[in-house]
């Protein structure tokens, strides 16, 4: 616990973001804070001045990242695999999942393109069925009971994978993962271990926002890129898996982890000795200076407190919702209830295409986003690098856009 709230302006000064704009689209891709920039540069210098010698530190530096990731997630480091992105992490999980013809993947209509396509690929290659369900009719009016009921009624006898997204980037709805996982646990209670449903979560818009320990969410896989809300180096990500989760998948890319390579080098089978997360960590040569600097990103958040960061983001998003309620005609998609919302507010301006709203606000010096879905929306993502004044400036700019459109 942290006794004093951070100086948010001082925290903002750790970043090189231009002051010419209000930055409310950092949920897509973050800037690096000073400690992360310095760590990247330190590792880059080491690799540039003596790459072969510095490369010999790779196991020590890799382990340091896993230790810090474990401290942040409240998890054992050996349950974590490092990747380059959410998409790569989902590929590790879905690509490696053991599925048989006749078994079923259950996902929702609210998933991102990256997940829906990976699941389509997996269904085609495995012979498994892929079915989708709708978790809520109106995101603004969604309830925990409605979402949990949709999952309960959606699970079938042949369901083996339940694919979910923690925070829906098209609506801003945050799923009640613990309640959903309790429903799945009840569903699994009388099923053999190799027929139980495994819950896989795209958690990219929860990591760095929510105050949690991963085991409390009840999922079997927690997959996220680290270059959004966590302020991690671009091109970094992770997969955490439960024991049941890792037992359900096989590696899809050769691992270069020392715990896998060394048994192989000695003529033994790595899969009899190495933790499955190490086996499933994709090999090859990543951008090492970025991967190793991920340790500083976890420390940056932990030093300020996950609970403190979560409370600040919730405060700014609540203020954003309250200000948007003042604008006639704006339809907010994101629920107001804190248990079903997180770090973004998605909205529609009737009569205006989201791309046009984004462009007009950019001319006013405010950067907001557009959701990458067929039913697109304007997305405002207030984070700890923002202030109440930033939100006010953004909403005032949106009010002018609406006023100009109505003339």
């Amino acid at each position: 616990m942290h006794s004093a709230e951070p100086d948010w302006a001082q925290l903002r000064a750790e970043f090189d973001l231009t002051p010419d704009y209000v930055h409310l689209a950092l949920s897509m891709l973050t800037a690096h804070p000073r400690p992360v920039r310095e760590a990247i540069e330190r590792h880059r210098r080491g690799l540039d001045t003596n790459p072969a010698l510095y490369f010999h530190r790779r196991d020590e530096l890799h382990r340091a990242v896993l230790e810090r990731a474990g401290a942040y997630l409240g998890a054992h480091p050996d349950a974590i695999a490092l990747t380059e992105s959410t998409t790569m992490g989902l590929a590790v999980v879905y690509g490696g999942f053991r599925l048989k013809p006749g078994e079923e993947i259950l996902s929702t209509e609210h998933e991102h393109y990256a997940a829906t396509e990976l699941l389509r690929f997996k269904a085609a290659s495995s012979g498994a069925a892929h079915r989708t369900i709708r978790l809520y009719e109106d995101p603004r009016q969604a309830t925990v009971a409605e979402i949990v009921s949709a999952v309960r009624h959606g699970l079938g006898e042949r369901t083996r994978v339940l694919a979910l997204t923690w925070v829906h980037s098209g609506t801003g709805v945050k799923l009640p993962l613990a309640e959903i996982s309790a429903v799945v646990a009840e569903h699994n209670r009388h099923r053999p271990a190799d027929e139980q449903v495994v819950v896989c979560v795209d958690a990219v818009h929860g990591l760095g926002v929510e105050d949690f320990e991963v085991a409390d969410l009840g999922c079997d896989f927690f997959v996220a890129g680290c270059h959004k809300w966590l302020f991690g180096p671009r091109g970094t990500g992770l997969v955490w898996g439960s024991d049941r989760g890792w037992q359900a998948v096989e590696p899809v890319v050769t691992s270069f982890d020392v715990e896998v390579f060394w048994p192989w080098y000695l003529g033994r089978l790595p899969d009899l000795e190495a933790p499955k997360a190490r086996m499933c960590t994709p090999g090859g040569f990543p951008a090492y200076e970025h991967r190793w600097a991920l340790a500083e990103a976890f420390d940056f958040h932990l030093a300020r407190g996950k609970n403190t960061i979560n409370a600040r983001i919730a405060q700014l998003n609540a203020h954003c919702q309250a200000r948007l309620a003042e604008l006639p005609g704006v339809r907010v998609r994101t629920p107001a209830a804190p248990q079903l919302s997180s770090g973004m507010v998605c909205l529609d301006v009737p009569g205006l295409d989201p791309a046009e709203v984004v462009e007009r606000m950019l001319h006013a010096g405010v950067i907001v986003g557009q959701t990458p879905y067929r039913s697109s929306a304007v997305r405002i993502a207030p984070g700890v690098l923002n202030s109440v004044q930033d939100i006010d400036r953004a909403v005032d700019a949106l009010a002018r856009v609406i006023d100009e459109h109505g003339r």
Side-chain angles (χ1 to χ4, degrees), residues 14 32-45 289 293 296:
E14 295 284 294
H32 296 156
R34 179 186 52 78
V36 171
R37 295 196 307 273
E38 291 176 351
I40 291 171
E41 184 56 32
R42 183 171 66 253
H43 296 310
R44 180 177 289 130
R45 281 199 307 272
E289 58 268 51
E296 278 71 17

Side-chain angles (χ1 to χ4, degrees), residues 180-225:
I180 290 172
S181 296
V183 167
V184 176
E186 178 63 25
H187 184 85
N188 282 337
R189 192 143 56 104
H190 302 297
R191 299 180 71 170
D194 62 349
E195 295 180 11
Q196 292 184 351
V197 179
V198 174
V199 181
C200 307
V201 176
D202 174 342
V204 70
H205 288 295
L207 182 68
V209 178
E210 300 297 320
D211 181 17
F212 69 99
E213 292 207 345
V214 70
D216 294 338
L217 301 177
C219 56
D220 294 293
F221 282 110
F222 178 101
V223 183

Side-chain angles (χ1 to χ4, degrees), residues 308-342:
T308 305
I309 287 174
N310 172 247
R312 175 63 171 177
I313 293 174
Q315 174 199 7
L316 292 173
N317 277 266
H319 182 69
C320 183
Q321 292 231 23
R323 286 296 321 275
L324 288 170
E326 301 170 4
L327 303 187
V330 168
R331 292 201 295 256
V332 175
R333 297 188 185 188
T334 307
Q339 65 266 37
L340 289 175
S341 59
S342 189

Side-chain angles (χ1 to χ4, degrees), residues 319-332 345 347-350 357 361 378 380 391-403:
H319 182 69
C320 183
Q321 292 231 23
R323 286 296 321 275
L324 288 170
E326 301 170 4
L327 303 187
V330 168
R331 292 201 295 256
V332 175
V345 181
L347 60 104
D348 301 297
V349 180
V357 175
M361 292 188 70
V378 177
I380 302 175
I391 309 305
D392 289 338
R393 182 175 165 188
V395 176
D396 291 344
L398 180 59
R400 290 193 295 273
V401 169
I402 295 170
D403 182 61

Side-chain angles (χ1 to χ4, degrees), residues 52-75:
L53 186 62
Y54 201 79
F55 181 71
H56 283 304
R57 296 186 59 196
R58 66 191 183 280
D59 299 329
E60 161 208 344
L61 295 169
H62 184 91
R63 191 67 192 181
V65 174
L66 291 174
E67 294 285 350
R68 302 317 298 151
Y72 184 91
L73 296 174

Side-chain angles (χ1 to χ4, degrees), residues 209-391:
V209 178
E210 300 297 320
D211 181 17
F212 69 99
E213 292 207 345
V214 70
D216 294 338
L217 301 177
C219 56
D220 294 293
F221 282 110
F222 178 101
V223 183
C226 297
H227 41 229
K228 294 183 184 286
W229 300 92
L230 190 73
F231 307 139
R234 290 178 282 275
T236 57
L238 60 82
V239 178
W240 170 88
S242 67
D243 290 342
R244 179 175 61 179
W246 285 124
Q247 288 169 11
V249 300
E250 297 297 341
V252 293
V253 179
T254 306
S255 174
F256 280 18
D257 191 286
V258 66
E259 294 183 67
V260 180
F261 174 79
W262 194 244
W264 174 87
Y265 182 81
L266 296 176
R268 303 195 295 263
L269 288 176
D271 45 336
L272 298 179
E273 301 183 33
K276 183 61 78 71
R278 301 285 78 73
M279 291 287 298
C280 292
T281 297
F285 282 45
Y288 284 115
E289 58 268 51
H290 278 226
R291 175 168 289 185
W292 296 335
L294 185 53
E296 278 71 17
F298 285 114
D299 284 342
F300 189 81
H301 267 252
L302 288 169
R304 286 140 184 98
K306 290 190 294 185
N307 58 337
T308 305
I309 287 174
N310 172 247
R312 175 63 171 177
I313 293 174
Q315 174 199 7
L316 292 173
N317 277 266
H319 182 69
C320 183
Q321 292 231 23
R323 286 296 321 275
L324 288 170
E326 301 170 4
L327 303 187
V330 168
R331 292 201 295 256
V332 175
R333 297 188 185 188
T334 307
Q339 65 266 37
L340 289 175
S341 59
S342 189
M344 60 181 66
V345 181
C346 299
L347 60 104
D348 301 297
V349 180
L352 281 174
D353 185 271
E356 186 176 356
V357 175
V358 171
E359 184 66 24
R360 291 191 185 189
M361 292 188 70
L362 180 62
H363 290 315
V366 178
I367 302 175
V368 297
Q370 178 184 359
T371 63
Y373 296 86
R374 294 189 182 102
S375 175
S376 188
V378 177
R379 182 170 62 200
I380 302 175
V384 292
L385 301 188
N386 297 116
S387 64
V388 169
Q389 291 73 28
D390 287 342
I391 309 305

